[in-house]
Amino acid sequence: MGYRSFSKFRCIVIVFSLLALIFQTGCWSKDEIEDLSIIVGMGLDMANETKLEEKLDKRRTNYRKKDNVTYTLQIVDKQSEARSGDAKSDTSAKPYLNVSETGDSLFEMIREFSSRLERPIIGHHLKVIIINESLSRRYDMNNLLSFMLRDNDIRLNCLVVMSSGIAREVLEAKGRSIIPAFRLFGMSDNRYRTYKILPPMSLIKLEGKMNSKSSYLLQNVIAVDGEVEFSGAAVVKGKSQKFRGRLNEEELIGVTWLRGDGKGGAVKSYDQKTKELITYELKTMKSKIVPHIEGSKISFHVNIETEGRIIEEWLVTNEPVDAKFLSKAEQTVEKEINRLIKLGLNKIQKEYKTDVVGFGTRLSIKHPKVWKKVKEDWDEEFSRVHITYDVKVKITETGTKQGH
């Protein structure tokens, strides 16, 4: 290699080395995580129901506002995490901090937190938004979530749930090692264990429901003394986008069978003759909604199929587990599922007049011309249509118990 070629090669190496050093410096606009207040949970309540007004009013506020909404943020307390490794630290310190503000603009309130916290807040890691049902009964969901949907800092995959009590209380925990927002987000993954938990409703899915003015269900959560539980579901009416009512656990199970979107769960029934317990654990659940048109009349038939196993039975010990027993058990389970479906269907169709199952969706696919005529007032039309259903249970396993 000649001297000139070597010099040229050396220059190229030096240039690329300098460029590599520049690009390895990381992000120029980075913010240290210790210098940020990371939001993991949000709670929205009626201002007059949180009992925080007196405390909040003691702080001097110099801007015009109406006390409509109490906005609560759950922030990961990095300082408490740092203290947890110190033997002299306060063992009662919780790994999170809840702060609340009352007003009428969520954006204004979130900026108001900047005058109370030493670190700027970011919503990149938001896990859950909890909306109090009283607030949703008064204000439509579009208004309550408008700021979240427009804010670039908030990810659209966060979970949205409804609280039948104070949302702020859902963001409290008994223990010192639990961050309530993480707990709620993790609980939604337990759908494979019970069909009392709805498919997660993310903010982006909810935006689609709101834009199409569809009725839908939100997971209902209750809080008592720092402990939370998923219990039933909140019904939001499509046209108004406001809270319409609540399904209890049995009604929710019935609606889940109609939708066919359960991942796991148990059906507890009782033998017709002995009145003893038979518990069926489902492995699969399928539902097919078939619309029928006769003149101007709309009707639906729902075919529901499930396979599973007998996981528990309190019958006579020496009764053989044979084909006769299985047939009888299948009929018993089918009867119970029919009872649950009747409860759920009556509540959503006759009382709430809200199609949260998807009958309208099936009608729009199979009969688009008919759907075009009724879609503007579908919930009202849905309350009048005739719906039948058929349940077929197949027991494929009986556990380790053998026949005699």
Side-chain angles (χ1 to χ4, degrees):
M1 180 183 295
Y3 176 76
R4 289 184 179 179
S5 299
F6 177 77
S7 298
K8 186 177 180 181
F9 174 76
R10 186 170 59 178
C11 290
I12 293 174
V13 170
I14 292 172
V15 170
F16 275 104
S17 297
L18 290 173
L19 289 173
L21 287 173
I22 292 173
F23 286 111
Q24 287 180 5
T25 56
C27 299
W28 287 287
S29 60
K30 68 179 176 62
D31 292 313
E32 296 292 344
I33 193 170
E34 290 81 5
D35 298 331
L36 299 171
S37 294
I38 301 174
I39 304 171
V40 292
M42 286 184 178
L44 301 177
D45 287 299
M46 288 287 292
N48 61 355
E49 291 186 358
T50 57
K51 300 179 182 179
L52 291 171
E53 285 65 40
E54 293 182 7
K55 182 178 179 181
L56 295 174
D57 286 344
K58 290 180 181 179
R59 299 201 319 271
R60 189 175 180 179
T61 55
N62 297 317
Y63 63 93
R64 185 178 63 177
K65 64 184 178 71
K66 296 178 181 179
D67 290 338
N68 295 337
V69 181
T70 295
Y71 189 24
T72 300
L73 299 183
Q74 182 159 97
I75 299 169
V76 176
D77 189 356
K78 301 300 296 181
Q79 292 181 354
S80 70
E81 288 185 359
R83 289 194 300 267
S84 64
D86 185 357
K88 297 180 181 179
S89 65
D90 183 6
T91 57
S92 65
K94 293 185 176 182
Y96 65 90
L97 173 68
N98 289 342
V99 291
S100 297
E101 186 73 29
T102 297
D104 52 2
S105 167
L106 297 182
F107 179 70
E108 186 176 48
M109 283 187 275
I110 204 166
R111 288 301 173 90
E112 186 68 16
F113 287 121
S114 299
S115 64
R116 299 169 52 191
L117 301 170
E118 71 277 16
R119 294 169 289 171
I121 57 179
I122 61 168
H124 298 150
H125 301 281
L126 181 65
K127 297 296 183 184
V128 61
I129 299 172
I130 307 157
I131 301 173
N132 173 261
E133 67 179 36
S134 298
L135 187 69
S136 179
R137 194 187 295 274
R138 181 172 179 179
Y139 302 104
D140 69 70
M141 297 291 288
N142 289 290
N143 290 336
L144 293 176
L145 296 174
S146 174
F147 159 62
M148 289 78 158
L149 290 167
R150 295 170 185 266
D151 190 1
N152 293 331
D153 278 353
I154 295 176
R155 293 183 179 176
L156 298 179
N157 62 350
C158 65
L159 182 68
V160 183
V161 300
M162 191 78 74
S163 170
S164 54
I166 305 301
R168 178 186 168 90
E169 294 179 359
V170 178
L171 291 171
E172 296 288 348
K174 262 185 180 178
R176 296 186 294 272
S177 61
I178 298 174
I179 297 179
F182 290 168
R183 174 177 59 183
L184 272 178
F185 193 78
M187 286 167 59
S188 65
D189 292 333
N190 293 331
R191 289 188 60 234
Y192 73 100
R193 307 292 287 181
T194 174
Y195 40 36
K196 295 179 182 179
I197 300 178
L198 285 168
M201 181 68 79
S202 64
L203 193 56
I204 187 63
K205 288 181 181 178
L206 191 54
E207 183 182 26
K209 296 286 187 182
M210 293 188 297
N211 290 340
S212 64
K213 295 185 178 180
S214 301
S215 297
Y216 52 89
L217 297 177
L218 287 178
Q219 185 71 61
N220 184 70
V221 60
I222 57 176
V224 180
D225 297 329
E227 295 186 1
V228 298
E229 179 182 354
F230 285 161
S231 178
V235 179
V236 179
K237 194 169 183 66
K239 209 165 189 178
S240 65
Q241 284 300 306
K242 292 182 178 180
F243 174 80
R244 177 63 182 86
R246 198 184 318 142
L247 301 180
N248 63 32
E249 290 190 356
E250 286 197 330
E251 291 162 348
L252 173 58
I253 293 172
V255 170
T256 299
W257 279 107
L258 285 170
R259 290 161 41 133
D261 59 1
K263 296 296 183 182
V267 178
K268 184 179 67 175
S269 58
Y270 298 91
D271 182 74
Q272 296 181 10
K273 185 177 180 181
T274 64
K275 308 302 180 185
E276 295 292 348
L277 176 74
I278 297 176
T279 305
Y280 168 83
E281 182 184 28
L282 72 93
K283 295 193 297 181
T284 64
M285 175 194 293
K286 296 179 182 179
S287 171
K288 184 178 181 181
I289 299 174
V290 182
H292 298 284
I293 306 296
E294 293 183 10
S296 60
K297 291 185 178 180
I298 303 170
S299 63
F300 294 91
H301 182 74
V302 188
N303 292 304
I304 299 166
E305 297 181 359
T306 175
E307 291 187 3
R309 62 173 178 162
I310 296 296
I311 193 66
E312 182 182 19
E313 49 92 355
W314 288 33
L315 303 179
V316 180
T317 305
N318 60 358
E319 184 174 357
V321 181
D322 53 15
K324 183 179 179 181
F325 170 83
L326 293 180
S327 177
K328 182 173 65 173
E330 288 171 348
Q331 292 176 20
T332 303
V333 174
E334 287 172 2
K335 182 179 179 180
E336 175 61 13
I337 295 173
N338 275 280
R339 183 187 73 85
L340 295 168
I341 292 174
K342 184 178 180 180
L343 288 174
L345 185 58
N346 182 69
K347 197 61 168 284
I348 63 172
Q349 187 183 25
K350 302 303 180 183
E351 186 173 343
Y352 293 158
K353 299 181 180 181
T354 52
D355 177 15
V356 295
V357 174
F359 290 98
T361 301
R362 294 303 303 168
L363 181 64
S364 67
I365 294 172
K366 293 292 185 180
H367 303 281
K369 291 183 179 179
V370 176
W371 171 248
K372 189 175 181 180
K373 296 178 182 179
V374 299
K375 68 176 183 178
E376 292 302 321
D377 200 17
W378 170 243
D379 278 339
E380 190 63 35
E381 182 70 26
F382 167 70
S383 68
R384 296 189 292 265
V385 301
H386 183 59
I387 300 174
T388 57
Y389 46 89
D390 178 65
V391 179
K392 181 63 178 176
V393 174
K394 184 177 181 181
I395 297 174
T396 58
E397 297 179 41
T398 58
T400 57
K401 185 172 180 178
Q402 302 298 321
H404 299 279

